[in-house]
Amino acid sequence: ADPSMGELPSTTGEAPGSGDGAADGATAGSPGDQRLALAVGLLREAVYQSRAKQAAGSSVSLGAAQGAEGNCGLGAHAAIETALSPKGREFAARLWPTPLSAEAARRAEALIEAWVVRQDALDRKRNHFLRDFRAANGFDRSRYDAEQLAGFETGLAKLNAEEDRQRLEAARGLTAP
């Protein structure tokens, strides 16, 4: 069974190798940069785990409401999965090579859970942008004129930059003493 995030970090398990996405650069740069990359990876893993739980719940509960007005495909609210995946446990073990105190573990869990909820809100915002833009301009991007394409790309870039900024801020919270 997967340990809960309250059991962060386990020092069992091997450190992740290359190919771990956000933490690929965790072996280069300053120790602070390495820890930040690990924290970003851990946050992404927490979101992936929670999304799997959310998708399972949404597919069962939405049923006929799948195409309902206002449904952006994410269900009614964020689902939070507190069990870390094997990859998430690897990130945690590298981020915190010595066990956290109970207080620090609770703080880390709260920060991760808050990020999952925030990521859900950002994803909903992106989905609503896409829905509204496509309703106004059509679904086929190959038919957009230069102005429409610029509006689409600028809008997505702005949302993605905000998400990156907020993820980095959350990751900094996990690396704070």
Side-chain angles (χ1 to χ4, degrees):
D2 284 344
S4 73
M5 289 197 309
E7 296 175 27
L8 287 175
S10 166
T11 54
T12 63
E14 299 171 12
S18 63
D20 284 329
D24 279 350
T27 58
S30 72
D33 291 343
Q34 293 171 16
R35 294 195 62 199
L36 200 55
L38 291 167
V40 166
L42 179 58
L43 290 172
R44 285 189 169 140
E45 280 300 308
V47 169
Y48 298 153
Q49 285 291 104
S50 295
R51 281 302 150 113
K53 179 179 181 177
Q54 189 169 1
S58 294
S59 65
V60 171
S61 66
L62 288 178
Q66 199 73 19
E69 182 66 30
N71 176 14
C72 62
L74 293 176
H77 53 80
I80 298 174
E81 176 57 57
T82 59
L84 293 173
S85 68
K87 192 173 182 181
R89 287 192 306 270
E90 291 172 2
F91 283 126
R94 287 180 62 193
L95 181 59
W96 300 295
T98 58
L100 297 174
S101 68
E103 181 182 330
R106 282 191 297 276
R107 180 179 167 275
E109 183 174 338
L111 287 169
I112 292 168
E113 288 179 5
W115 173 248
V116 169
V117 171
R118 186 64 194 137
Q119 177 71 62
D120 182 79
L122 292 165
D123 288 344
R124 289 171 193 279
K125 187 174 181 179
R126 181 180 14 262
N127 287 355
H128 293 173
F129 166 79
L130 292 170
R131 178 201 62 202
D132 296 345
F133 192 91
R134 289 172 177 157
N137 298 285
F139 283 83
D140 187 355
R141 286 182 20 191
S142 68
R143 294 182 177 230
Y144 293 172
D145 62 30
E147 185 178 330
Q148 289 169 315
L149 189 57
F152 180 81
E153 290 175 351
T154 301
L156 273 183
K158 182 179 176 184
L159 291 167
N160 291 336
E162 179 63 15
E163 178 183 339
D164 290 344
R165 184 192 68 73
Q166 289 189 33
R167 184 184 306 104
L168 191 58
E169 182 179 314
R172 284 187 179 116
L174 287 176
T175 62

